[in-house]
Amino acid sequence: MPHDRLERDARPETATFIRHLEASDRTLSDEERQVIDEAISHFIDVDADVDVVREHDRPTVSSLLVSGWACRYNTLADGRRQILALHISGDFVDLHSFPMKRMDHSVATVTRCRFAIVPHENLRRITEEHPHLTRQLWRSTLIDAAVLRQWLLGAGQRSAIEHAAHLICELYTRLRVVNLADETSFQLPLTQTEIGDALGISPVHTNRVIQELRRLELISLRGSTVDILDWEGLLKLAEFDATYLGLEPNREATS
Amino acid sequence: MPHDRLERDARPETATFIRHLEASDRTLSDEERQVIDEAISHFIDVDADVDVVREHDRPTVSSLLVSGWACRYNTLADGRRQILALHISGDFVDLHSFPMKRMDHSVATVTRCRFAIVPHENLRRITEEHPHLTRQLWRSTLIDAAVLRQWLLGAGQRSAIEHAAHLICELYTRLRVVNLADETSFQLPLTQTEIGDALGISPVHTNRVIQELRRLELISLRGSTVDILDWEGLLKLAEFDATYLGLEPNREATS
DNA sequence: CGTCAGATTGAGCAGCTTCAACGTATGTGG
DNA sequence: CCACATACGTTGAAGCTGCTCAATCTGACG
């Protein structure tokens, strides 16, 4: 079942999430930082390929990913699987279960992961006492939705290679924000089958698309290392525009 | 430009949105109902096929759809268009622009529409003073995201006919909630090209998929009237499960 | 050295697209 | 009231994108 080990731990690991919120809003107060920190009840470690939350669950806690890769996914009766989101350090994988209550999809680890667990009761208290922080949490669920819109645009309108290029641009950009990508490369710990489940294409075609990206000298992909060989070329092929990731400073009277 | 006419008006038209929020949470207080009502600054009417908000805009108001159909969409450089969401009475078409600030897509009317306009300043005040209502607004943006996940699952994994059947199930279910569908039929004021843009398929194939749905005696579609001939059959073909629309009563200590 | 997961390749096929034509309903100006 | 225009739906034919099935290759690991 979900969590296979759990332990109390120190707090510096919330730093990634805070960096994340601040990537779009530099106005978090020290108090707010502390509130986030104190909202965490404990940390858990979960092995790779384990369901953390399942469709139809009604979680009473939300999980902030501290390290590792996780995904949201849904399946059809005959086994067809769509990955709905990929998550990295600093992502709140199921914050939406707080206002929504019931899960409409599952969340699984891709690699071994560490999560900071935030009880919904603590989130509720934040909404009662910290409206600005509440808006930032709300905002972080809306950035998930913006990513989802790009995935839908990709699945519906982009060719497989354009869609794949867009995913690489997105992941690279997001990993840079949390300092998990070098200047020209990053680790992508997904099998080609998993990449295909995210893009909505078969594993065989995923392989051919990757080969085509290599042939065009846009990326190299050996093992789990992606090297960006031609960022401009990737951007152009993917029509990637990072605006939707909400990274620009967001100073607003109403923020 | 966006709004082509504007006028002050009476309030009963917020009823649909309130019914909407209450479809999932019967605990709205009279005070909260009044707060929503008073947050509306005015109403506007917009002709069909007009952009209400454009990608990259930074709106200072959000728009609650009172009547008519609207959609969110995004396009690629060569004109390929993906409809990202379809909206009916009671939907807040760009509530997410409040926490997000910058639009990552456009919103357009499909038919002539009436919107209730809610200034972000009023929404900000709600987040300061009405935490329960804030959670319900947050929740309504997350239901949009849940719909989006189903559309991605459809675009990525379902066949065109399964995807189309799912869309019909979704729209019928949503229209029922706001009393805009009969027992066995509803009005769908979309061209086949628009349906195709929502499903991510060509207009020609859309036509063939609709014919196949007719041949299977699942629906009839003449003009803009959809008749549900075999609801059970549609549900099965689409693997439709309405849970994600968040319609179940949602009574929670933390709600 | 055998095993296993994952990557790669080839061949044939299905679903969907594109292009182009034609049908049909509605509306408009002369 | 007819001639024409326009928007949308429908049909046919050819072709491309991506799928399935099945085999082979590769590297990591016990």
Side-chain angles (χ1 to χ4, degrees), chain B:
Chain B
M1 276 299 283
H3 309 134
D4 63 345
R5 191 148 76 85
L6 108 186
E7 57 196 295
R8 301 214 147 258
D9 212 315
R11 302 307 196 201
E13 287 163 313
T14 52
T16 317
F17 179 60
I18 289 172
R19 190 179 325 146
H20 215 245
L21 286 184
E22 294 197 327
S24 52
D25 184 347
R26 307 284 151 69
T27 63
L28 279 196
S29 67
D30 288 345
E31 187 200 350
E32 286 170 335
R33 268 167 246 213
Q34 196 184 336
V35 166
I36 292 175
D37 218 63
E38 291 173 356
I40 295 168
S41 67
H42 61 283
F43 292 83
I44 63 169
D45 289 292
V46 184
D47 282 334
D49 294 311
V50 172
D51 279 354
V52 176
V53 191
R54 291 219 177 78
E55 191 180 354
H56 300 127
D57 280 358
R58 296 173 74 96
T60 59
V61 301
S62 285
S63 307
L64 178 51
L65 182 53
V66 172
S67 66
W69 287 62
C71 71
R72 305 181 188 172
Y73 71 92
N74 224 332
T75 54
L76 296 178
D78 65 0
R80 282 173 286 175
R81 176 171 95 139
Q82 178 68 44
I83 292 182
L84 302 163
L86 286 168
H87 291 298
I88 59 174
S89 304
D91 290 350
F92 234 130
V93 299
D94 59 352
L95 178 54
H96 53 301
S97 72
F98 164 58
M100 284 281 283
K101 306 308 173 198
R102 189 176 289 279
M103 295 297 291
D104 61 297
H105 63 274
S106 302
V107 178
T109 57
V110 174
T111 66
R112 183 167 182 80
C113 287
R114 161 161 285 215
F115 294 98
I117 302 301
V118 181
H120 285 178
E121 177 52 29
N122 295 354
L123 292 170
R124 195 195 57 72
R125 199 171 314 118
I126 288 175
T127 65
E128 302 285 343
E129 295 165 12
H130 300 279
H132 173 259
L133 186 51
T134 300
R135 289 192 296 272
Q136 297 313 312
L137 292 173
W138 185 356
R139 185 166 194 276
S140 88
T141 63
L142 294 179
I143 290 174
D144 287 348
V147 170
L148 211 42
R149 279 189 285 273
Q150 281 298 324
W151 284 35
L152 178 58
L153 178 58
Q157 303 300 329
R158 282 189 243 256
S159 66
I161 193 170
E162 290 166 348
H163 192 184
H166 196 277
L167 179 62
I168 290 166
C169 291
E170 177 199 309
L171 292 176
Y172 175 69
T173 304
R174 289 169 55 197
L175 287 163
R176 289 289 286 178
V177 171
V178 291
N179 264 52
L180 287 175
D182 298 339
E183 194 68 42
T184 62
S185 71
F186 63 91
Q187 295 302 306
L188 180 68
L190 302 181
T191 65
Q192 292 186 359
T193 299
E194 288 165 335
I195 295 170
D197 285 347
L199 297 175
I201 62 180
S202 69
V204 172
H205 200 56
T206 303
N207 181 272
R208 288 175 174 141
V209 162
I210 289 169
Q211 287 181 49
E212 181 67 7
L213 287 171
R214 280 197 277 243
R215 199 190 59 75
L216 294 170
E217 296 184 331
L218 295 171
I219 63 165
S220 92
L221 173 50
R222 299 182 315 278
S224 59
T225 301
V226 176
D227 281 287
I228 309 284
L229 302 179
D230 179 3
W231 179 243
E232 290 302 321
L234 269 183
L235 287 181
K236 194 170 165 194
L237 174 60
E239 286 188 35
F240 180 77
D241 170 359
T243 309
Y244 73 101
L245 293 173
L247 302 176
E248 55 182 319
N250 187 36
R251 298 183 196 86
E252 283 290 313
T254 60
S255 174

Side-chain angles (χ1 to χ4, degrees), chain A residues 218-237:
Chain A
L218 295 172
I219 63 164
S220 92
L221 173 50
R222 299 181 315 279
S224 59
T225 301
V226 176
D227 282 286
I228 309 284
L229 302 180
D230 179 1
W231 179 243
E232 290 302 320
L234 269 182
L235 288 181
K236 194 171 166 193
L237 175 60

